[in-house]
Amino acid sequence: MDNKLFGMVFAAIFGLAFSVFGAANAGAYAVDNWLFPTEEFGDNTYIGTTDVSNMEVESAKMMFAGQSETWRADAELHVTYQDATATYPLENAEILLDETVRNAETGSQNSFVFQLSTDTTRAFLAEYFPVADFSEADVEAINGKLETALQGGQTKTQVSISDDSLSLDREKVADVVFPTAFSSMDSSMVIDALNGVQLAPGSRFSFLEFIAELPLTGVSDGELTQIASAVYGALLQTNFLVDERSIGSQVPASIPLGQEAAINRQLDIDFVFTNPNDSSFTLGLSQTSDSLNASITGYPLVYAYAIGITEETDIEPRLIKQYSAFVTSGNQIDEKGVSGKRLNVIRTVFEGNEALEVQTVSNDFYPPVHRVEVYPLTQPAAAEVTVPVAGEPGFIDANGDGIHDGTTTVPTAGQPGFVDADGDGIHDGPITVPTSGQPGFIDADGDGIHDGTPAATVPTAGQPGFVDVNGDGIHDGTTTVPTEGQPGFIDTNGDGIHDVPAPTTPNEDENETDRTPVYDKGGKPVIK
């Protein structure tokens, strides 16, 4: 075969092969794109938090199928009804992957499609929120709400189910009665206006803003405080949040301790609170001649709330003395004084009969009002006292010193201050020592000092008044007689009694005198 023929045959075969290959690929393309097209997500496409941009649908579905079991094991669904929250069991939760990828729109944010068991939801509500009597329609609606909450595919999901769409019966969740006494007609206007006020979910209520819309002329801040305090007392029995609350300067007379909410329009002191629930409540107020009733009505709460007081302490007032030129005598009371108080207000949260938590509501302090007494600037001069002299009525001279003893009461045996050093049964009292020339002065020894002075100085040899008859070098004194064994004791006759020295007397011949006998160391007289 020549070269020309070979080239023609090769070209024919190559063309046929190219035609067959092109036809095959065109057929496959036609099958993939016209008869059985392959689905693929476009740019910026998300399902939950996962980016599936430019990913085939089937690939995305297989990826999520592998993740669903991991999600179910780790995911948490927290369900809140009014004031309680519980964790929903997700063991039976199912992710519908076909519906998820089928409903996904390319180039946008898409959600998962979940399916929860109605039976599981019904049992969950009955176990954790037994105070609410959910109807079948409520259960179906709540189940759908839970499925919608899970669409984001988050690991932790929070959802509230207690909105106003439920068919639950509403009841009084709080009710208080305060003793009151209103004197103005405007107080009734405020009470009537507050009765029936709707407290919307999450709404904030200001007492001052509310009454600012009323045409009030004669109501006092004290009456407004009583009304606001009754509302506050009711709120303490719920889970409502108190944003602003104050107390007065003195312990209230008719408002229970710990439940005062003071109002002062001039100082802009307000009472503000918030409804934290996803359902609305209604405020109720009514009055009688001597009381005010406040209540809150809405879906039942899971928990009960009890108010208590701890560490209550009375604070006594102090005495403050002031001085004024307008007070001339005695004292004037400007303020009698009132005791203060310090106390802690607590709230105990109960589930049935079980106490779950103790919350500190407030620490209230009422300062005491101190007693104020006003005295004159100068003290009045003391009245002159006339002291009676001897011979006048009232003159007393128990100690014989010639001077009036005064009016001091002399204590007797057993009374405080009684002194009886000499053992005579009579109070010794202060001893006044007379001096030379005064009545009762005695100076037998001639020393110029009253002999009866208890602390008289004993003279020594060479000093005036020194007497030493027995020659022992010690002043003999005027009254003390030495006994056996004491210095100066002499007993020549052996009778056990101190021998008093005999006085010197002249003898018959008057030229000599008898001398005082002298004794040796053995006590025998020495004759000279």
Side-chain angles (χ1 to χ4, degrees):
M1 184 179 293
D2 58 13
N3 291 335
K4 184 177 179 179
L5 180 61
F6 177 80
M8 292 176 62
V9 173
F10 179 79
I13 294 173
F14 179 79
L16 181 61
F18 181 79
S19 299
V20 173
F21 179 78
N25 281 277
Y29 178 82
V31 170
D32 290 342
N33 291 277
W34 297 341
L35 297 179
F36 304 102
T38 300
E39 296 184 60
E40 185 178 278
F41 295 113
D43 294 336
N44 300 318
T45 304
Y46 290 84
I47 297 178
T49 60
T50 304
D51 186 358
V52 295
S53 300
N54 304 314
M55 182 181 293
E56 292 182 359
V57 172
E58 286 300 319
S59 298
K61 186 166 68 172
M62 292 178 63
M63 179 184 66
F64 288 129
Q67 294 177 352
S68 61
E69 290 303 321
T70 302
W71 174 88
R72 187 180 291 104
D74 298 335
E76 295 180 4
L77 175 59
H78 300 285
V79 181
T80 298
Y81 165 79
Q82 298 291 70
D83 54 343
T85 300
T87 301
Y88 187 93
L90 291 175
E91 292 83 1
N92 299 325
E94 183 180 357
I95 301 177
L96 304 180
L97 295 179
D98 290 337
E99 286 83 348
T100 297
V101 297
R102 185 188 310 123
N103 296 338
E105 296 182 0
T106 188
S108 63
Q109 177 73 47
N110 300 278
S111 301
F112 289 94
V113 177
F114 284 84
Q115 185 177 46
L116 300 177
S117 168
T118 305
D119 292 338
T120 300
T121 300
R122 184 185 301 105
F124 168 77
L125 297 175
E127 179 180 359
Y128 291 99
F129 313 123
V131 296
D133 186 14
F134 296 102
S135 66
E136 281 302 311
D138 290 335
V139 174
E140 291 287 346
I142 292 171
N143 195 70
K145 183 178 290 187
L146 298 181
E147 292 175 342
T148 302
L150 291 171
Q151 289 180 354
Q154 302 293 327
T155 304
K156 293 185 179 181
T157 304
Q158 181 80 36
V159 60
S160 176
I161 62 173
S162 54
D163 56 42
D164 287 333
S165 64
L166 298 175
S167 60
L168 299 175
D169 293 334
R170 297 181 182 269
E171 61 183 43
K172 284 186 178 181
V173 297
D175 193 23
V176 297
V177 178
F178 281 10
T180 54
F182 298 112
S183 58
S184 69
M185 296 298 295
D186 282 354
S187 60
S188 297
M189 181 189 301
V190 175
I191 293 171
D192 292 340
L194 286 171
N195 185 39
V197 166
Q198 293 295 308
L199 306 174
S203 64
R204 175 180 177 274
F205 182 89
S206 166
F207 193 90
L208 287 183
E209 291 177 4
F210 181 82
I211 64 173
E213 304 297 326
L214 303 178
L216 303 177
T217 57
V219 67
S220 67
D221 284 346
E223 291 175 320
L224 293 176
T225 294
Q226 293 183 60
I227 298 172
S229 297
V231 176
Y232 177 58
L235 292 181
L236 290 176
Q237 299 179 8
T238 70
N239 66 329
F240 275 56
L241 304 177
V242 177
D243 304 307
E244 185 177 338
R245 173 251 179 183
S246 301
I247 61 175
S249 59
Q250 295 185 24
V251 178
S254 58
I255 299 173
L257 282 176
Q259 301 185 50
E260 180 186 15
I263 298 296
N264 189 314
R265 288 166 290 183
Q266 183 176 0
L267 298 179
D268 200 30
I269 294 178
D270 198 1
F271 172 52
V272 184
F273 59 89
T274 298
N275 174 16
N277 304 286
D278 287 307
S279 63
S280 61
F281 288 81
T282 304
L283 180 62
L285 269 83
S286 62
Q287 65 173 324
T288 64
S289 59
D290 57 358
S291 65
L292 176 63
N293 173 249
S295 63
I296 298 176
T297 302
Y299 290 158
L301 299 175
V302 175
Y303 303 131
Y305 302 85
I307 302 302
I309 294 176
T310 63
E311 300 181 23
E312 180 180 349
T313 304
D314 290 328
I315 304 174
E316 296 301 323
R318 294 182 300 176
L319 173 61
I320 299 176
K321 291 185 177 182
Q322 297 179 349
Y323 297 88
S324 171
F326 298 101
V327 178
T328 58
S329 62
N331 66 299
Q332 174 182 310
I333 299 175
D334 270 11
E335 176 60 58
K336 292 183 178 180
V338 180
S339 296
K341 276 190 180 294
R342 179 183 287 108
L343 55 113
N344 294 335
V345 183
I346 61 172
R347 177 167 57 185
T348 305
V349 183
F350 289 91
E351 185 176 16
N353 295 325
E354 181 182 359
L356 301 180
E357 182 184 5
V358 177
Q359 305 168 343
T360 298
V361 176
S362 64
N363 304 110
D364 293 352
F365 172 70
Y366 294 96
V369 178
H370 299 306
R371 179 181 178 88
V372 179
E373 297 180 357
V374 184
Y375 291 82
L377 289 175
T378 57
Q379 294 293 335
E384 184 177 352
V385 179
T386 303
V387 179
V389 296
E392 292 184 346
F395 178 76
I396 300 173
D397 185 16
N399 55 12
D401 60 358
I403 302 174
H404 178 61
D405 294 341
T407 58
T408 303
T409 303
V410 178
T412 59
Q415 292 183 335
F418 178 75
V419 178
D420 185 18
D422 54 9
D424 62 356
I426 302 174
H427 178 62
D428 296 342
I431 301 174
T432 302
V433 180
T435 59
S436 179
Q438 290 184 339
F441 179 75
I442 300 173
D443 186 18
D445 55 8
D447 61 355
I449 301 174
H450 179 62
D451 293 344
T453 304
T457 303
V458 178
T460 59
Q463 291 184 341
F466 179 75
V467 179
D468 186 16
V469 178
N470 55 12
D472 60 357
I474 301 173
H475 178 64
D476 295 342
T478 57
T479 58
T480 302
V481 178
T483 59
E484 186 175 0
Q486 290 184 337
F489 177 73
I490 300 172
D491 183 16
T492 57
N493 54 14
D495 61 0
I497 301 174
H498 177 66
D499 296 338
V500 179
T504 302
T505 54
N507 58 16
E508 292 179 356
D509 101 20
E510 295 183 355
N511 293 322
E512 294 181 5
T513 58
D514 293 335
R515 288 178 169 81
T516 301
V518 179
Y519 301 89
D520 61 16
K521 292 183 179 179
K524 296 181 180 181
V526 178
I527 301 175
K528 294 185 179 180

